[in-house]
Amino acid sequence: MKLARLAVLGAAFVAAGAGPARAGQASLGLRAGSTGLGVELGVSITPIFGVRGGGYFFNYGRTQEESDISYDVDLHLRSFAGFLDLHPLGGSFRLTGGVFYNQNRAEGVGIPTGGTYTINGVAYPSAAVGNLTAEARAERDWAPYLGLGFGTSHGTGRVFFIFDAGVVFQGRPFVVLDATGVLAGFPPFQANLQAEENDVNEDLDDSLYQYYPLVSFGVGFRF
């Protein structure tokens, strides 16, 4: 009985402490997470509904091996999003649905091993291959999102903490390979390059990359 009372009191405290939102109350959020560094603007429409929009950017470089070829990879995170937030308790806790305009890209330049590239099991001189490039992107430019979090224009106080966790349904990622050297117009080379590309994409088909995890933290300001 005591435990039940404590649970009820605790839920009431959370709901009351968060405070109702005023219609038209706005917020500015700064965040960092798996989508990059972002800026968001939010507005409370009713005590339980709000809307947000934001942009997210980041660049990151690394070396990665795919199908026996090493690449210098530059990851470019570029996305914009719109969200509809449901606040079931009238406070800052929310359930979120939305859509991302997903322009994330990974661009790689091949690193030859011993002056050669091994493409589909065949060794080619790197000078004849030229620049071997790979571009990876997701299937969907417009990707739906579902998640939950804390911290928007809903609530009381000028400064608030932001947390989000969810999934962007970006679709199957795929890779496009290209070469610039004299072999680029040679049909047997193109056939091997296509087979190499198919091999990489088959690996991606079996992965969970089509579900992009979103986790982010930040700070916001109500006004």
Side-chain angles (χ1 to χ4, degrees):
M1 189 67 176
K2 289 183 179 180
L3 185 60
R5 289 179 179 176
L6 287 174
V8 171
L9 289 173
F13 175 78
V14 170
R22 302 191 315 269
Q25 181 169 263
S27 65
L28 171 68
L30 306 175
R31 65 171 67 231
S34 58
T35 55
L37 304 178
V39 177
E40 289 181 351
L41 290 174
V43 178
S44 58
I45 305 302
T46 73
I48 62 170
F49 283 108
V51 293
R52 286 180 294 132
Y56 315 91
F57 311 91
F58 196 68
N59 293 325
Y60 176 70
R62 59 173 295 180
T63 299
Q64 182 168 331
E65 184 172 308
E66 289 291 342
S67 192
D68 299 325
I69 298 176
S70 293
Y71 295 90
D72 279 331
V73 178
D74 290 320
L75 177 63
H76 305 286
L77 297 180
R78 303 282 188 276
S79 61
F80 301 89
F83 305 105
L84 176 63
D85 296 320
L86 169 64
H87 299 259
L89 301 178
S92 64
F93 171 74
R94 53 185 156 74
L95 303 174
T96 299
V99 61
F100 273 81
Y101 179 54
N102 182 6
Q103 293 297 293
N104 295 339
R105 297 287 188 272
E107 299 174 348
V109 178
I111 306 170
T113 301
T116 64
Y117 288 107
T118 300
I119 299 174
N120 195 35
V122 180
Y124 293 98
S126 58
V129 173
N131 289 329
L132 179 62
T133 61
E135 182 185 59
R137 59 184 184 272
E139 180 181 23
R140 295 177 183 150
D141 285 339
W142 294 94
Y145 168 79
L146 290 175
L148 53 82
F150 294 89
T152 61
S153 53
H154 284 66
T156 59
R158 291 295 183 184
V159 181
F160 59 94
F161 172 73
I162 299 171
F163 169 74
D164 274 278
V167 177
V168 181
F169 299 88
Q170 64 179 358
R172 182 181 65 87
F174 64 94
V175 172
V176 176
L177 299 180
D178 197 11
T180 62
V182 295
L183 288 174
F186 188 50
F189 172 79
Q190 280 295 335
N192 282 323
L193 189 63
Q194 184 63 54
E196 185 82 16
E197 181 181 297
N198 292 341
D199 184 55
V200 173
N201 286 323
E202 285 177 8
D203 290 340
L204 291 175
D205 280 342
D206 295 332
S207 71
L208 295 176
Y209 290 138
Q210 59 183 308
Y211 307 109
Y212 189 86
L214 186 152
V215 178
S216 67
F217 302 85
V219 63
F221 309 90
R222 295 186 183 96
F223 51 93

